[in-house]
């Protein structure tokens, strides 16, 4: 055993996961607000420049405002949806070995070989393990025990798990 992690699926975990995903894994989501502002300004410019066709510009501006609201509230909606579907006491213990990881929870135990992951993305406050299919696993740095094993764990995972062609993929 190299290290263990005790991950508790609470609001703070999901907020951190979203922030890390947005910064290290998302391709375009972080630019969505800027796109919405540009679309709104484009619509206003069209409405002013072509006053006979102002409705077209107004529709672009309305679409931009809608996209802005959706982008600005996406994190809250995403986190709320995750928190609503998880039990209050939901947690998992993950044990990292040289060639596998084992997850243990109240519902059971599972072991997965590191070769079963298709990608590994280090992040600012943790790392993502990307399986062949399904949802990526985010492990915060603060959950790793012993804490001084974090850098060697990241080094091991980086060397054992093939990285995707584009590490910023979704």
């Amino acid at each position: 055993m190299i290290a263990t992690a005790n991950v508790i699926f609470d609001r703070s975990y999901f907020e951190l996961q979203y922030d890390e995903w947005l910064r290290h894994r998302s391709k375009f989501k972080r630019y969505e607000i800027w796109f919405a502002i540009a679309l709104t300004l484009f619509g206003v410019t069209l409405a002013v420049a072509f006053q006979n066709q102002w409705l077209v510009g107004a529709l672009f501006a309305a679409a931009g405002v809608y996209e802005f609201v959706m982008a600005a509230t996406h994190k809250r909606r995403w986190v709320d949806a995750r928190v609503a579907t998880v039990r209050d006491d939901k947690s998992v213990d993950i044990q990292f070995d040289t060639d596998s990881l084992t997850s243990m929870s109240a519902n059971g135990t599972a072991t997965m070989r590191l070769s079963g992951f298709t990608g590994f993305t280090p992040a600012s406050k943790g790392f993502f393990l990307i399986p062949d299919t399904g949802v990526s696993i985010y492990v915060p740095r603060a959950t790793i025990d012993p804490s001084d094993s974090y850098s060697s764990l990241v080094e091991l995972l980086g060397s054992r798990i093939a990285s995707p062609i584009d590490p910023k993929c979704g």
Side-chain angles (χ1 to χ4, degrees), residues 33-79:
I33 286 183
W34 295 109
F35 171 76
I37 291 170
L39 186 60
T40 303
L41 292 175
F42 176 71
V44 170
T45 303
L46 276 179
V48 170
F50 303 102
Q51 292 179 0
N52 293 338
Q53 303 274 328
W54 66 270
L55 185 59
V56 174
L59 289 174
F60 273 101
V65 169
Y66 173 79
E67 284 300 320
F68 182 84
V69 169
M70 294 306 286
T73 62
H74 185 262
K75 177 181 177 180
R76 180 183 47 80
R77 290 181 289 116
W78 187 89
V79 169

Side-chain angles (χ1 to χ4, degrees), residues 111-124:
T111 300
M112 186 168 184
R113 297 169 76 60
L114 295 180
S115 60
F117 290 96
T118 59
F120 169 73
T121 305
S124 306

Side-chain angles (χ1 to χ4, degrees), residues 2-3 96-98 114 120-122 126-127 129 141 144 148-163:
I2 296 172
F96 295 94
D97 294 312
T98 56
L114 295 180
F120 169 73
T121 305
F127 56 84
L129 295 169
R141 180 181 193 146
I144 300 294
D148 61 345
S149 66
Y150 181 78
S151 58
S152 61
L153 176 61
V154 168
E155 186 177 313
L156 171 76
L157 294 172
S159 68
R160 295 282 172 110
I161 298 174
S163 294

